[in-house]
Amino acid sequence: FQAWVQVSMGCNSKCAYCIVPTVRGREQSRHPGEIVAEVTSIAREGVKEITLLGQNVNSWGRDLAPSLRTDFGELLRACDAVDGISRIRFTSPHPKDFREPVIAALAECVSVCEHVHLPLQSGSTRILKRMRRTYDRERYLRLVDTLRAAVPDLALGTDLIVGFPGETDEDFDATIAAVEEVRYESAFTFIFSPRAGTEAASSPDQIPDDLKHARLERLVDTVQRIAAERNSERIGRVEEVLVEGPSRTDASLLRGRTRRNTTVNFKGVTRPGDLADVLVEESTSMTLRGRELALVDA
Ligand code: SF4
């Protein structure tokens, strides 16, 4: 009932720490007809949730023939129109390619989930420039405001790298400040490790390991505190959960994910693969806990 659908391969960006463009080459988008045919076929087999996958998923379509005149927003709309698909996710988008048609599709397509993974990498414009991310801190924060205005209950996740070459205390503080400002629901945090063949690997101003680890610890504390606060705001709400199976920690409970991509462990009766309405009663920084509404009403 869940499936990944590869929509493109390769990447035209040149992030200074990333080996993907060298290994995978330039971006190649699959033809929209081929993608929609695959989504239609797996929906007939019972798939309800798809995750569209690409190294830079929201630049999909730019390399296709000009006669097709399409973009990732149109692809989201085409997948949304497929019978049987009730949830659409996509990963990973690049902030620079989050343009108006994609935001409009996110806001208007019923199946597109209220969750965006939006890699920030660093909150320092100086480091973003060295990373060759092609956006600055202000542009990223404006995008966050635009996304939240379009989808008010949007959950945001991100990727963050600490210890990129040349990262000063001030640069790192700017990352912490950005995390405090955006208040992400979740974040993957990484220590920069030089990848042979990338521009950043040969930078002379590498950061000592002990400093990288100290920064990571502070970042993880901040991310977890905010995620716990964000999750606690869901207590008392009813969330639509796609049931995935038994809870990994308590076999008497079911486990699933909300549209906002938070794991929920709950007392319930719904079968894996079906949607359940769950009243959220408790939370941690990683998960929610609750009871299926059918049991609350009983
Ligand atoms: S980090 Fe992502 S956007 Fe940047 S080069 Fe690698 S795959 Fe492309």
Side-chain angles (χ1 to χ4, degrees):
F1 49 87
Q2 292 168 310
W4 299 90
V5 178
Q6 185 96 38
V7 302
S8 61
M9 274 154 289
C11 181
N12 296 350
S13 293
K14 294 186 173 63
C15 301
Y17 51 83
C18 180
I19 198 70
V20 164
T22 309
V23 175
R24 297 276 170 86
R26 290 186 66 76
E27 183 173 79
Q28 285 183 290
S29 301
R30 286 177 70 200
H31 193 282
E34 193 185 311
I35 297 169
V36 173
E38 180 179 334
V39 173
T40 305
S41 161
I42 58 180
R44 283 203 194 107
E45 290 164 12
V47 166
K48 290 190 175 138
E49 177 178 303
I50 55 167
T51 303
L52 305 179
L53 195 61
Q55 251 88 40
N56 183 0
V57 71
N58 54 342
S59 71
W60 173 88
R62 296 217 185 114
D63 57 318
L64 293 172
S67 57
L68 283 172
R69 297 176 70 83
T70 189
D71 59 42
F72 187 63
E74 266 190 31
L75 183 65
L76 287 174
R77 289 180 192 277
C79 293
D80 182 56
V82 173
D83 271 352
I85 296 296
S86 47
R87 290 182 168 196
I88 300 171
R89 305 184 188 279
F90 53 91
T91 197
S92 278
H94 194 301
K96 77 176 168 58
D97 294 310
F98 234 115
R99 299 184 185 171
E100 199 279 327
V102 182
I103 297 171
L106 184 66
E108 291 163 21
C109 293
V110 175
S111 311
V112 178
C113 290
E114 296 78 17
H115 172 255
V116 169
H117 186 76
L118 193 65
L120 171 63
Q121 310 301 7
S122 170
S124 157
T125 291
R126 201 182 70 84
I127 293 297
L128 287 170
K129 195 163 186 182
R130 287 193 57 163
M131 287 176 165
R132 300 197 186 282
R133 289 291 289 171
T134 70
Y135 53 85
D136 60 18
R137 173 197 178 88
E138 284 65 36
R139 183 172 161 200
Y140 180 97
L141 294 176
R142 272 200 308 277
L143 174 60
V144 167
D145 288 344
T146 305
L147 288 169
R148 284 193 167 139
V151 185
D153 199 29
L154 187 72
L156 282 173
T158 197
D159 295 330
L160 299 161
I161 298 172
V162 297
F164 189 80
E167 183 187 67
T168 63
D169 285 345
E170 290 71 32
D171 293 321
F172 175 66
D173 286 346
T175 298
I176 294 281
V179 170
E180 296 274 9
E181 185 168 342
V182 176
R183 295 179 58 74
Y184 297 100
E185 268 74 10
S186 62
F188 294 116
T189 51
F190 303 92
I191 284 183
F192 170 77
S193 73
R195 186 70 71 90
T198 62
E199 183 186 345
S202 55
S203 289
D205 43 2
Q206 301 289 330
I207 305 298
D209 276 354
D210 54 348
L211 184 53
K212 286 186 197 170
H213 282 95
R215 285 180 181 167
L216 182 73
E217 207 172 302
R218 200 177 137 209
L219 181 61
V220 168
D221 283 351
T222 306
V223 161
Q224 287 185 346
R225 172 177 50 78
I226 292 170
E229 289 166 7
R230 298 295 275 167
N231 279 346
S232 72
E233 291 164 11
R234 309 310 288 183
I235 293 174
R237 292 181 182 234
V238 174
E239 303 269 356
E240 180 203 273
V241 175
L242 178 59
V243 182
E244 294 175 353
S247 160
R248 294 202 172 97
T249 50
D250 180 345
S252 70
L253 300 178
L254 293 172
R255 168 182 50 87
R257 269 182 305 143
T258 67
R259 287 178 60 92
R260 302 171 84 251
N261 208 31
T262 311
T263 296
V264 189
N265 295 304
F266 65 101
K267 283 196 192 101
V269 290
T270 298
R271 289 173 313 168
D274 285 341
L275 296 168
D277 286 328
V278 174
L279 175 67
V280 178
E281 296 174 315
E282 293 171 47
S283 67
T284 68
S285 63
M286 301 285 285
T287 59
L288 302 175
R289 211 177 162 100
R291 260 185 304 163
E292 196 170 332
L293 212 51
L295 299 182
V296 177
D297 289 338

